[in-house]
Amino acid sequence: MSTALAELGIFSCAAGLFGVGLAAFARGLSAPPGPAILFAPKGATTAVAAAAAAQTVGDLGTALVPALFVAVGTISLHYVLLFCQSRAAFTTMAALHQEARSRGERGPDLGTVKYGQKHKGTLRADRSVGNLLEQLPPFFLSLISYALFVSANNAALLGWAWIGFRALYPFLFGHMPGLLLSTMPAYSIVWYMLGHAVYSAYVL
């Protein structure tokens, strides 16, 4: 079951990467030439200063659309590789368990296969920090993108929910499938925010 979930994650995130690539191709390089934010340098002409002053938040959002697609594509690839990492651990553990059963022995647990021999408390602490660091880039990108392109207030609510689910990780680590109560809702929040941000940016 764990291998199947990892494979589902690989294929769904790969589909997300393909989808955002199609959206980016269909939308094209729609930003105006130059930087996303117009600046009036010291000594600028009146026309340049007026153009900078007239820029709206909507103009900024439109200018950021092509870069948003690239960022979401990067996060999609990030998750593909994370799920590939998990699948490799699950398949290795299954093979080691089969070998151990043939010898009448007990196979290693998932923590030993993925992270080596560590004291359970140390491993829990290390993975709680490590997993959070792995998830921070996708979370921050999804949070900021959703706030910019969809709803700042709802981004805050979803962000607090994400923090709540992530805070469960140290207590659920080592208990499968219980750990999924922390990780899967947090993944879903990230992809919900990214999906809505991409759609809103695409229809601008």
Side-chain angles (χ1 to χ4, degrees), residues 19-20 23 27 65 68-69 72 145-146 149-150 191-204:
V20 77
R27 191 72 158 65
V65 168
L68 172 70
F69 290 151
V72 174
S145 301
Y146 191 87
F149 291 95
V150 185
W191 283 105
Y192 175 84
M193 292 196 291
L194 284 177
H196 277 258
V198 167
Y199 175 77
S200 296
Y202 182 78
V203 300
L204 274 177

Side-chain angles (χ1 to χ4, degrees), residues 90-114:
F90 290 134
T91 54
T92 299
M93 185 177 71
L96 292 174
H97 273 235
Q98 189 171 4
E99 289 178 14
R101 278 196 299 270
S102 68
R103 299 191 302 268
E105 300 172 358
R106 184 179 176 182
D109 61 17
L110 182 62
T112 301
V113 173
K114 285 188 80 170

Side-chain angles (χ1 to χ4, degrees), residues 33-87:
I37 299 176
L38 298 177
F39 295 97
K42 190 174 182 180
T45 63
T46 304
V48 171
Q55 187 181 36
T56 67
V57 174
D59 295 331
L60 175 60
T62 302
L64 291 174
V65 168
L68 172 70
F69 290 151
V70 173
V72 174
T74 304
I75 294 303
S76 299
L77 179 60
H78 176 74
Y79 274 113
V80 167
L81 297 178
L82 286 178
F83 281 119
C84 284
Q85 184 184 49
S86 292
R87 184 187 181 280

Side-chain angles (χ1 to χ4, degrees), residues 1-10 12 83 90 176-177 180 184:
M1 177 183 175
S2 297
T3 302
L5 281 174
E7 289 172 348
L8 177 63
I10 292 168
S12 60
F83 281 119
F90 290 134
M176 287 294 285
L180 299 178
M184 297 310 290

Side-chain angles (χ1 to χ4, degrees), residues 126-177:
D126 286 351
R127 286 310 304 151
S128 296
V129 172
N131 193 264
L132 182 64
L133 291 175
E134 290 167 3
Q135 300 305 318
L136 281 179
F139 170 66
F140 281 133
L141 173 66
S142 64
L143 181 74
I144 294 167
S145 301
Y146 191 87
L148 282 173
F149 291 95
V150 185
S151 168
N153 285 330
N154 287 346
L157 292 174
L158 289 165
W160 281 115
W162 185 89
I163 290 172
F165 286 117
R166 297 306 313 176
L168 295 174
Y169 190 95
F171 304 101
L172 297 174
F173 181 79
H175 303 286
M176 287 294 285

